[in-house]
Amino acid sequence: MLRKPLIDANLYTIQVRPQRPVRPADSMEAEMTKPIALVTGGAQGIGYAIAERLLQDGAKVAIADIDKQKGKLAAEDLSNLGEVRFVHTDVGNRLDVHNLVAAIVDEFGDIDILVNNAGIVHGEDFLDISED
């Protein structure tokens, strides 16, 4: 006896944004189709390691960090792996984040990968924190 499926697969559809190929044969096409990644808190530690891995996998990477010296040094160190840029950003400041995204989109194009690694420390209850 055949059992009837519990869920009819035809009732559910999932739309997924088509992924761009990462490494096509033509070098000009390859440059245009590299994914764009933004790593906040990417100047050191886990963020740096994530940025490094994304570059090794063929992405263009933007590093955002509040530490200007470490950010510039990280971008310089990682530049031998691929295209990387540093943008000085305080992710706790709305205007800084807006300017960060605008700068990345202007230079690289649409952001495909976002790694929200930067930490913000507040000594208040969550509901008591304001944007100011």
Side-chain angles (χ1 to χ4, degrees):
M1 177 173 128
L2 294 174
R3 292 185 177 217
K4 186 176 180 182
L6 297 175
I7 299 174
D8 183 358
N10 294 324
L11 295 177
Y12 302 95
T13 60
I14 298 173
Q15 293 182 339
V16 178
R17 179 177 158 198
Q19 202 170 20
R20 295 181 287 177
V22 176
R23 294 188 178 119
D26 179 59
S27 63
M28 187 170 133
E29 186 180 337
E31 194 60 34
M32 293 175 59
T33 59
K34 286 183 176 182
I36 311 304
L38 169 56
V39 181
T40 65
Q44 60 184 343
I46 293 170
Y48 180 94
I50 292 169
E52 182 177 36
R53 179 56 191 257
L54 287 165
L55 285 162
Q56 290 169 348
D57 288 346
K60 296 178 184 178
V61 175
I63 295 172
D65 205 286
I66 197 165
D67 190 324
K68 209 181 265 190
Q69 281 184 306
K70 288 182 182 175
K72 288 180 181 180
L73 184 60
E76 193 176 299
D77 288 347
L78 294 170
S79 64
N80 63 330
L81 297 174
E83 197 168 349
V84 60
R85 297 289 180 270
F86 167 69
V87 180
H88 178 253
T89 307
D90 176 359
V91 297
N93 181 310
R94 178 189 283 193
L95 183 58
D96 267 14
V97 174
H98 174 82
N99 291 337
L100 165 67
V101 172
I104 300 311
V105 170
D106 284 348
E107 186 164 347
F108 287 144
D110 291 342
I111 298 168
D112 300 302
I113 302 165
L114 171 62
V115 180
N116 193 12
N117 178 66
I120 303 172
V121 179
H122 287 283
E124 302 177 68
D125 289 335
F126 177 75
L127 295 175
D128 294 334
I129 297 173
S130 70
E131 284 188 45
D132 301 328

